[in-house]
Amino acid sequence: MTDDIVADFTADVALSDGDATPSRMRVVLNEQELAFATGDGTRSIPLSRVFDIVQDISPGTAPDSTETIRLAFRVGEVREVASVHGDAETLLRFQHTLFRALLTGTTVVVRHTLDGSRRHAARELSLSPTATSARFEDDGATAFVVPRESVSEFRTGHESLGDDRQAAVTLFWMDDGVPAKTVVCLPTPRLFNLFGRYLQSTARLEPESDAGDRPRTVGVLLVDDDPDDLEMSELFLKRQSDRFDIERATSAAGGLDYLADNPADCVVSDFDMPGTDGIEFLQSVRERYPNLPFILFTGQGSERVAKQAIIDDVTDYVEKGVGTNQYAVLAQRIQKAVD
């Protein structure tokens, strides 16, 4: 194993179901396989057999502290584990390199939504992850880059980007100041799992801050018939404040059903919804819950809508816009309404 070596270091390694006593080994990684070498011989594992990284490095640990990475791989039908113990800084570099070797060149199907409305058709791209970003390439040229620090949240599930529903990872992130939703479909369950582990993994070693005493949470009910707008609003409101405990409804009727059985500190509603619009929803809420803060959050801004909302005792009115400033304004208005 001499060609294209991308990682080479010494660590304490246990090869088994994880219960064996570690031995000092040389760890060598190239683009095709991972090898563990001692004076008695070498154990090589094709990267195609690695299906999980089941333990990550703690982000708040000191660079010279001892950490562990556990890799799950298959030998025939048998599941085995390699536990690698070493200093955190070395293992973090190894982990970055390992994810790059495991995932680079994977063909994925990607679909974008920007600001909840500008949608880009699904297309095939090549994945190329680094420690700080997930790069997507088209015939060798960079199509776009998702900086890991800009990802607010990711979710796993299934999406229909073609004829069939496929396992997908959905990223919520900031694309040059614009809220973005990117759905990435992976070709196999193994690669789907590894990409999720990559997104969860530690990007750098940073001491965790002391949160101290936290103020009480604020229960917010978001009501909007557009699921993308709901997801964007929830994610970027939470980015503004960890006080928010958010629930969602896709219609005024669904919002009323939720309020009938659950408490809320504030309602945030779109105006332009089928059936019952935001003003009619406000009127129904006022009949049942006269003191419940209600904020109209809509792109259908007009003097008529604003005037009617004020007549019907709306707590506040915030217009949707481009970028994240709208969420900063909305978060401030929610906090003002409930405090």
Side-chain angles (χ1 to χ4, degrees):
M1 186 177 182
T2 57
D3 296 334
D4 303 320
I5 291 176
V6 293
D8 188 347
F9 63 99
T10 302
D12 294 323
V13 180
L15 290 169
S16 72
D17 61 0
D19 294 330
T21 301
S23 300
R24 200 68 177 167
M25 299 186 189
R26 180 186 175 194
V27 182
V28 184
L29 174 68
N30 67 20
E31 301 294 342
Q32 292 77 39
E33 61 182 358
L34 174 63
F36 300 102
T38 67
D40 298 327
T42 300
R43 173 77 180 277
S44 296
I45 303 166
L47 293 187
S48 60
R49 293 287 184 176
V50 177
F51 65 89
D52 203 357
I53 299 177
V54 294
Q55 183 169 332
D56 185 30
I57 299 164
S58 304
T61 193
D64 58 352
S65 64
T66 300
E67 285 282 317
T68 302
I69 294 178
R70 289 194 172 93
L71 318 172
F73 58 97
R74 295 191 184 279
V75 179
E77 297 301 318
V78 179
R79 179 185 185 276
E80 295 195 25
V81 174
S83 299
V84 184
H85 310 272
D87 67 86
E89 190 169 16
T90 298
L91 290 188
L92 186 66
R93 290 197 300 268
F94 171 59
Q95 179 173 274
H96 293 161
T97 306
L98 182 59
F99 276 122
R100 193 159 58 244
L102 288 166
L103 292 169
T104 294
T106 299
T107 299
V108 296
V109 180
V110 179
R111 183 184 66 202
H112 278 302
T113 302
L114 298 176
D115 250 2
S117 57
R118 287 179 285 163
R119 293 173 171 81
H120 298 263
R123 57 172 170 160
E124 285 192 351
L125 296 172
S126 178
L127 174 62
S128 180
T130 70
T132 58
S133 63
R135 306 178 68 87
F136 296 87
E137 300 176 348
D138 188 1
D139 290 332
T142 300
F144 66 94
V145 178
V146 180
R148 291 183 62 187
E149 64 182 11
S150 74
V151 177
S152 300
E153 185 176 335
F154 76 91
R155 298 174 183 171
T156 58
H158 289 79
E159 292 282 342
S160 298
L161 298 193
D163 296 333
D164 301 317
R165 286 179 63 80
Q166 305 174 58
V169 178
T170 302
L171 310 177
F172 299 90
W173 59 291
M174 294 301 300
D175 186 358
D176 289 333
V178 177
K181 172 185 175 182
T182 301
V183 180
V184 183
C185 286
L186 284 298
T188 68
R190 168 182 169 268
L191 292 168
F192 168 76
N193 183 61
L194 288 171
F195 185 56
R197 293 296 196 187
Y198 159 73
L199 293 170
Q200 289 176 318
S201 66
T202 300
R204 58 178 61 88
L205 298 179
E206 295 179 345
E208 295 181 317
S209 60
D210 183 5
D213 294 332
R214 296 182 181 273
R216 73 174 183 88
T217 59
V218 176
V220 180
L221 174 63
L222 296 178
V223 183
D224 197 314
D225 64 303
D226 188 319
D228 287 330
D229 279 353
L230 275 176
E231 287 182 317
M232 294 288 191
S233 297
E234 177 180 356
L235 289 165
F236 288 100
L237 276 176
K238 285 183 175 179
R239 195 171 188 181
Q240 293 294 325
S241 174
D242 60 4
R243 291 183 63 190
F244 297 140
D245 181 10
I246 295 177
E247 297 292 340
R248 299 183 291 179
T250 56
S251 67
L256 291 173
D257 287 344
Y258 176 84
L259 292 173
D261 297 321
N262 303 275
D265 295 306
C266 184
V267 175
V268 176
S269 176
D270 187 27
F271 167 72
D272 188 17
M273 298 184 293
T276 303
D277 65 27
I279 295 296
E280 294 168 332
F281 179 39
L282 168 62
Q283 293 168 350
S284 296
V285 170
R286 281 289 166 262
E287 291 174 2
R288 296 166 173 80
Y289 315 99
N291 298 317
L292 179 61
F294 189 109
I295 297 174
L296 202 61
F297 182 48
T298 177
Q300 301 292 320
S302 72
E303 291 184 4
R304 179 188 63 81
V305 172
K307 181 178 179 180
Q308 187 60 52
I310 293 170
I311 291 172
D312 290 317
D313 196 23
V314 74
T315 307
D316 216 324
Y317 181 98
V318 178
E319 288 196 7
K320 294 179 180 177
V322 176
T324 59
N325 185 60
Q326 58 185 314
Y327 302 111
V329 173
L330 181 57
Q332 292 171 358
R333 302 291 176 83
I334 294 171
Q335 291 172 338
K336 180 180 178 182
V338 301
D339 286 343

